[in-house]
Amino acid sequence: MNKFFITVLGMFLVFSACKTPEARRPVKTTSGSYIDASVAMNKKIIAADEKDILAIIEKDTSREYLSSEQGFWYFFNNQIPSETEQADFGDIVEYEYDIKDLNGNIIYTKEELGTQEYHMDKEELISGLREGLKLMKEGETATFLLPSHKAFGYYGDLKRIGANMPIITTVTILNIEQIN
């Protein structure tokens, strides 16, 4: 009887040890409603920025505004029709620019900002300006109307540019140093 009992106990232990592991369930689940609310708020901000920018474009019939694939609008103040090349990845672009609000009030002058040097796509720069520089050639001047998400976004620049503030920037490329 003792052998039988040990055999049954051994078989029980073997079969109970072969149980597959069960997945652990989360203690607390969230619905993602914060993300949904954030997306809805960002869509409203983008729509308001676009509405304001399109109102400016509609009033200004003296210029030909272009819409970029990246989500901003621009026009050339001075366009060079020559075959000079635009800046490419890694090229060094020397430029100057100013920043205004949508009412045309100056936030930063060219003198305050000074001459800037930017290594194309290798340094941090607001996305609207980074993409705008790619559209220009040496010696050209262009004005970009940037919605807030293409400018300084949610935080602004923590100085004079507020949160979710669309801007107008006029940029002149002084020199493009081709690296390749």
Side-chain angles (χ1 to χ4, degrees), residues 107-169:
I107 300 171
Y108 291 106
T109 65
K110 286 183 182 183
E111 293 75 29
E112 284 180 281
L113 297 172
T115 300
Q116 303 288 315
E117 201 172 83
Y118 173 64
H119 291 74
M120 290 300 285
D121 296 329
K122 290 188 172 185
E123 296 177 332
E124 290 292 319
L125 190 63
I126 61 171
S127 64
L129 188 53
R130 182 180 61 237
E131 297 301 326
L133 289 172
K134 293 177 184 178
L135 301 171
M136 299 173 66
K137 301 175 194 167
E138 187 175 316
E140 290 185 331
T141 301
T143 299
F144 300 96
L145 287 78
L146 305 175
S148 60
H149 69 281
K150 289 292 179 182
F152 291 90
Y154 180 73
Y155 293 106
D157 74 342
L158 303 177
K159 295 175 189 164
R160 298 184 207 167
I161 299 174
N164 298 319
M165 184 175 175
I167 62 170
I168 298 172
T169 181

